[in-house]
Amino acid sequence: MRPPAPGLWLLLSLCCLGTAATPSDSSQLAAPRNPKIHLYNAEQILRWEPSSPGNDTVPVTYRVQFKYTGSNWSDFESPEVNCTQISATECKFATATLSEGFPKDFNVSLRVRAELGQQKSAWAAVPWFQHFRNATIGPPENIVVTPGGGSLIVTFSAPFDTGNPRDATFSYYVHYWEKGGTQQVRDPVKSNSILLNNLKPFTVYCLQVQARLFWTRPKIINPGDFSNTFCEETTADASTKLQQIILISMGTFSLLLVLTGACFFLVLKYQGLIKYWFHTPPSIPSQIEEYLKDPAQPILEVLDKDSSPKDDVWDSVSVISFPEKEGEDMEPKHGSSWGTPEVDAEQGS
């Protein structure tokens, strides 16, 4: 029997080798799809789309591994977080209420694969990240705007705790504007309150607050999102309050002066009517009042009831005479004491 030609031999060898090396498509488990890392403030969450579903008895599970620069891949297991053989399509390394997670200044790489019994899919990896560099910084929290005299006081808290302030800190910017006016920016501050002064009193101002993360190693600035818009009306400043006091005092004094002049004019014009209104009405004598109570008794007796005759008493009587004039008849008239000599008389009681 003749051996096969060299070309045919080579073709048969390649076909047999390819068949032995390539597994069946039905035995290959699909890898998770579109893995993405979610970094918002302090949150670190890996999410992905599921691979092929398992059967009724054995569901598909997932395994997540991580590594730092220069280290080996390791499973992520902690008392609070388990990302090994999980059925969920996400792994929460750190959340808003969970402070665990990867160091925020480390280079971190992640990968995830599907597992179904003895079958294992290929690894699906995400690009490495640094939290301070790649995280989305939200606006400051707990913002409170307090109006003052020609000013606004803005207080807030940091979006999240950065840890050691020598590694990373927040600076805060306030964009404010008079309602319908031009926007202005307040100089950045590192404290948790900002005073906007030299504002117009009794004017509505609107503002937004922004936090910017400053990472010192390396020097990176990660600007955050703006907060919602807050609008408040300023109150009167010291000079405006003084002006109000002066105006109120002058207005009160002017009003009192006008009222006084008006009252004086009315008194002069209607003084007769006023006297009539305030005149004491005549009263009935007590004797008449008693008679009216008992009309049966004689009127004269009622009038003389409380009266008792009394003798007139004089301590002294003086008669004054005038000197006679020439040519004038100074004969005194009958019953008159004029023109008579001085007579002193005393009458005893």
Side-chain angles (χ1 to χ4, degrees), residues 242-321:
L242 180 60
Q243 294 176 3
Q244 287 181 336
I245 293 174
I246 294 175
L247 290 175
I248 292 174
S249 301
M250 293 180 62
T252 304
F253 178 76
S254 300
L255 181 60
L256 292 176
L257 189 63
V258 171
L259 291 177
T260 304
C263 291
F264 182 72
F265 173 77
L266 292 175
V267 168
L268 291 180
K269 185 175 182 180
Y270 300 101
Q271 57 181 346
L273 185 59
I274 293 174
K275 287 181 179 180
Y276 174 76
W277 285 346
F278 289 96
H279 180 70
T280 304
S283 60
I284 301 175
S286 60
Q287 297 86 349
I288 302 300
E289 189 174 353
E290 291 182 4
Y291 171 75
L292 294 176
K293 292 179 180 179
D294 187 11
Q297 58 180 331
I299 184 62
L300 295 178
E301 293 180 3
V302 173
L303 294 176
D304 295 339
K305 183 177 180 180
D306 294 331
S307 62
S308 58
K310 295 181 179 179
D311 296 334
D312 294 336
V313 178
W314 295 275
D315 292 336
S316 64
V317 177
S318 300
V319 179
I320 302 174
S321 62

Side-chain angles (χ1 to χ4, degrees), residues 75-128:
D75 292 339
F76 192 93
E77 295 181 353
S78 72
E80 296 181 347
V81 179
N82 179 22
C83 292
T84 302
Q85 293 183 337
I86 58 175
S87 58
T89 56
E90 67 175 13
C91 184
K92 298 181 179 180
F93 308 104
T95 62
T97 58
L98 181 64
S99 59
E100 295 292 334
F102 302 108
K104 296 179 176 58
D105 56 347
F106 276 31
N107 289 6
V108 183
S109 297
L110 296 173
R111 66 182 185 179
V112 58
R113 76 178 180 188
E115 298 178 350
L116 180 61
Q118 298 300 322
Q119 293 180 314
K120 297 176 177 58
S121 72
W123 290 99
V126 296
W128 66 270

